[in-house]
């Protein structure tokens, strides 16, 4: 895994992931108090425990990456911590889906949990095969490696879909939600292909 072997990349990733996790937790708590007061006047930060719990592990990821950067932990520590955070997030979103009264809301969060589970599996296996065998094809380790950031991009797109559903245009049925989920996944895969083609042509 070349990127994490660069001290500059490892330092930047650690600060970015940890900082984003802390910012997300702070924003969630402020949103519970101010932004969503009109939609949910009885909500407090405790109503967003799933969102806070899903964000907290990324603070741990940033901290672990920082320790790896300082050579206090071995290589692949950040990626291993990221896999743990993704498994935790998958579990939380699946459970959160069960609390939704609306079938569409439940479907949106269930798909999010499924996506995080698949991304967590890819991150976990990429750590196991990350060292690679010089005599074997690097295709499988490479695909597993890039599956993690692609899964995170897909997650971001799905979060935006949920936001649009809640604030602007409600998705009519769970079937429409699944269709959007698949189409967004295909768009992310095409994006990954275009990036791969660019890298191959450049290097």
């Amino acid at each position: 895994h070349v990127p994490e072997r660069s001290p500059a990349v490892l330092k930047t990733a650690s600060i970015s992931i940890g900082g984003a996790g802390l910012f997300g937790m702070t924003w969630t708590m402020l949103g519970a108090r101010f932004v969503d007061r009109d939609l949910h006047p009885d909500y407090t930060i405790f109503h967003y425990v799933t969102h806070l719990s899903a964000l907290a592990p990324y603070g741990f990821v940033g901290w672990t990456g920082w320790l790896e950067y300082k050579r206090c932990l071995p290589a692949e520590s950040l990626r291993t911590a990221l896999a743990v955070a993704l498994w935790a997030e998958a579990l939380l979103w699946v459970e959160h889906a069960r609390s939704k009264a609306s079938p569409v809301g439940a479907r949106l969060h269930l798909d999010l949990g499924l996506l995080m589970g698949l991304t967590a599996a890819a991150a976990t296996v990429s750590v196991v095969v990350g060292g690679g065998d010089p005599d074997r094809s690097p295709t499988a380790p490479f695909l597993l490696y890039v599956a993690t950031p692609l899964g995170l991009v897909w997650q971001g797109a799905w979060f935006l879909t949920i936001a649009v559903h809640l604030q602007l245009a409600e998705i009519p049925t769970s079937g429409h939600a699944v269709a959007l989920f698949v189409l967004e996944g295909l768009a992310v895969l095409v994006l990954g292909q275009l990036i791969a083609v660019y890298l191959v042509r450049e290097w």
Side-chain angles (χ1 to χ4, degrees), residues 21-111:
L22 294 175
F23 173 79
M25 293 178 68
T26 303
W27 180 261
T28 298
M29 289 185 287
L30 290 175
R33 181 64 183 88
F34 300 108
V35 178
D36 284 345
R37 293 299 285 182
D38 293 335
L39 290 175
H40 307 290
D42 57 333
Y43 272 23
T44 67
I45 62 171
F46 300 106
H47 288 82
Y48 290 90
V49 64
T50 300
H51 299 75
L52 294 173
S53 300
L55 289 164
Y58 290 96
F60 169 73
V61 174
W63 168 249
T64 301
W66 182 261
L67 292 178
E68 182 182 345
Y69 165 70
K70 292 294 185 180
R71 300 182 183 274
C72 298
L73 290 175
E76 303 284 12
S77 292
L78 182 146
R79 182 163 283 266
T80 303
L82 179 60
V84 172
L86 289 168
W87 282 119
E89 190 178 2
L91 177 63
L92 287 162
W93 288 129
V94 169
E95 181 60 29
H96 192 53
R98 297 174 59 187
S99 69
K100 295 295 181 180
S102 164
V104 176
R107 181 77 256 176
L108 290 170
H109 289 82
L110 186 61
D111 288 343

Side-chain angles (χ1 to χ4, degrees), residues 99-183:
S99 69
K100 295 295 181 180
S102 164
V104 176
R107 181 77 256 176
L108 290 170
H109 289 82
L110 186 61
D111 288 343
L112 187 58
L114 173 64
L115 173 58
M116 288 300 94
L118 293 174
T119 308
T124 302
V125 179
S126 75
V127 172
V128 176
V129 303
D133 184 342
D135 298 325
R136 293 171 57 190
S137 170
T139 302
F142 174 76
L143 291 177
L144 288 167
Y145 185 84
V146 299
T148 303
L150 287 179
L152 293 173
V153 171
W154 191 357
Q155 180 195 28
W158 198 239
F159 270 128
L160 291 176
T161 301
I162 294 175
V164 170
H165 166 72
L166 293 175
Q167 303 288 345
L168 298 176
E170 185 175 340
I171 298 173
T173 67
S174 58
H176 288 85
V178 173
L180 283 173
F181 184 71
V182 172
L183 291 174

